[in-house]
Amino acid sequence: MDTSKKYTVPALEKALAIIETLADQEVPMGVSELCKKVNVPKTSAFFILNTLEQNQYITKSEDGKYLLGNRFVNLGQSILNRIDIRQHAKPFMEELCRETGFTVHLAILDQGEAVYIEKVENQAFVKFSTYIGQRWPLHVSGVGKALASQLTDEELEQIVERVGLSAKTDNTVTSLKEFKAVLSAARKQGYAIEDEEGEVGIRCIGSSVFGHDGKQKAAISITALRSELPVQEIPVIGDKVRRIALRISAHLGYRLPASPGEASNAK
């Protein structure tokens, strides 16, 4: 038995085959032509095509033939935007890593979690086992708290209702009321602090990155051993993280706040 096929979904495989076939064609395709091309019975094809059409992944031409829908344009643009953020952020992340000596992460908000999309590692003997694509709950990471700090109360409550605020260590914030207070402080100071809440012995500081439209696009953070980032150094390092986040934002076209001295922080 082919174990690679054991956990696949046949209907989904057929849907993907139809999508890929339409993507390869320069002109719309009829049902009969599609069925022959991907070897799918007409009955199955009808249900698949109807589902894809309802979700705007495909659309019909005037003569009733099928072609890919605009949904793929939006998805493709979303991917390009994320890649663009990585390209813009990488040099600044490297600078932050050199200045602080700490590992730097870039993350986006996805399905109510922080997802690492870039990492710049320091040259220290101790390496963190974090990786691009890794997911973290918002309440136990520096980037997660930074990302959460820009959510509305309603958005935050919906996420917490769905995923909860489970404890990772004795320091983890597990109360929504307390979490909101932590996020309020993060907004005021421009950076969020994670102090051994996701893993004992690890501290993180994160700050939001904004785009040209003023909306949050990502967040960056430094990750350090508790022994290498004493409490008294947190404000200094936090301000460095905040300034680098602002510079990345400015590079993305974000218009900096007009508060005194803020513009100079982005230089």
Side-chain angles (χ1 to χ4, degrees):
M1 180 180 179
D2 184 359
T3 56
S4 65
K5 292 289 185 180
K6 186 177 180 181
Y7 302 108
T8 59
V9 181
L12 180 56
E13 287 186 324
K14 292 173 184 175
L16 292 172
I18 288 174
I19 289 171
E20 290 173 1
T21 300
L22 290 174
D24 289 337
Q25 305 301 311
E26 295 182 359
V27 295
M29 297 181 68
V31 177
S32 297
E33 187 181 5
L34 266 172
C35 290
K36 184 178 180 181
K37 194 84 173 177
V38 299
N39 193 28
V40 175
K42 277 192 175 182
T43 303
S44 299
F46 172 78
F47 287 112
I48 292 171
L49 290 167
N50 187 55
T51 300
L52 291 172
E53 185 180 7
Q54 286 184 10
N55 289 278
Q56 301 177 358
Y57 285 102
I58 64 173
T59 187
K60 278 184 182 178
S61 61
E62 292 183 358
D63 57 358
K65 294 185 177 181
Y66 292 93
L67 65 159
L68 293 186
N70 290 332
R71 187 73 178 270
F72 284 103
V73 176
N74 297 333
L75 292 173
Q77 189 60 53
S78 176
I79 294 171
L80 289 174
N81 288 340
R82 293 179 183 183
I83 293 173
D84 192 46
I85 289 174
R86 291 176 62 185
Q87 292 173 340
H88 283 290
K90 189 73 175 284
F92 296 101
M93 294 172 67
E94 292 171 343
E95 179 182 337
L96 182 60
C97 182
R98 288 193 301 270
E99 285 190 3
T100 63
F102 301 134
T103 294
V104 181
H105 294 99
L106 176 71
I108 58 170
L109 180 66
D110 183 70
Q111 301 295 315
E113 296 178 304
V115 182
Y116 291 145
I117 61 172
E118 188 57 270
K119 175 182 179 181
V120 175
E121 201 162 25
N122 62 18
Q123 300 303 312
F125 177 75
V126 177
K127 302 293 184 183
F128 297 105
S129 58
T130 52
Y131 56 89
I132 294 174
Q134 184 174 7
R135 291 176 173 271
W136 279 93
L138 298 182
H139 67 300
V140 296
S141 63
V143 287
K145 287 184 177 182
L147 291 167
S149 71
Q150 302 302 314
L151 297 174
T152 65
D153 281 350
E154 183 180 0
E155 290 170 333
L156 180 66
E157 289 164 7
Q158 287 176 351
I159 290 173
V160 171
E161 183 178 355
R162 188 172 74 252
V163 303
L165 293 170
S166 59
K168 299 294 183 182
T169 73
D170 291 340
N171 297 324
T172 305
V173 172
T174 56
S175 158
L176 179 58
K177 182 179 180 180
E178 188 178 352
F179 190 35
K180 285 183 177 180
V182 167
L183 299 181
S184 177
R187 283 191 294 271
K188 290 177 181 177
Q189 62 194 11
Y191 59 86
I193 303 166
E194 183 268 302
D195 192 0
E196 298 188 273
E197 296 162 65
E199 188 176 349
V200 175
I202 304 298
R203 283 178 171 151
C204 300
I205 302 175
S207 187
S208 297
V209 173
F210 302 92
H212 66 89
D213 55 2
K215 296 179 180 179
Q216 179 179 242
K217 300 300 181 184
I220 61 166
S221 73
I222 58 93
T223 301
L225 294 174
R226 179 178 182 272
S227 58
E228 295 179 348
L229 180 56
V231 173
Q232 60 269 26
E233 288 296 314
I234 289 178
V236 176
I237 300 299
D239 195 55
K240 286 182 181 292
V241 175
R242 180 186 66 84
R243 292 187 183 198
I244 290 293
L246 279 175
R247 289 173 62 192
I248 297 172
S249 300
H251 212 63
L252 293 172
Y254 175 61
R255 188 178 180 84
L256 295 170
S259 56
E262 198 67 89
S264 62
N265 290 339
K267 295 180 181 178

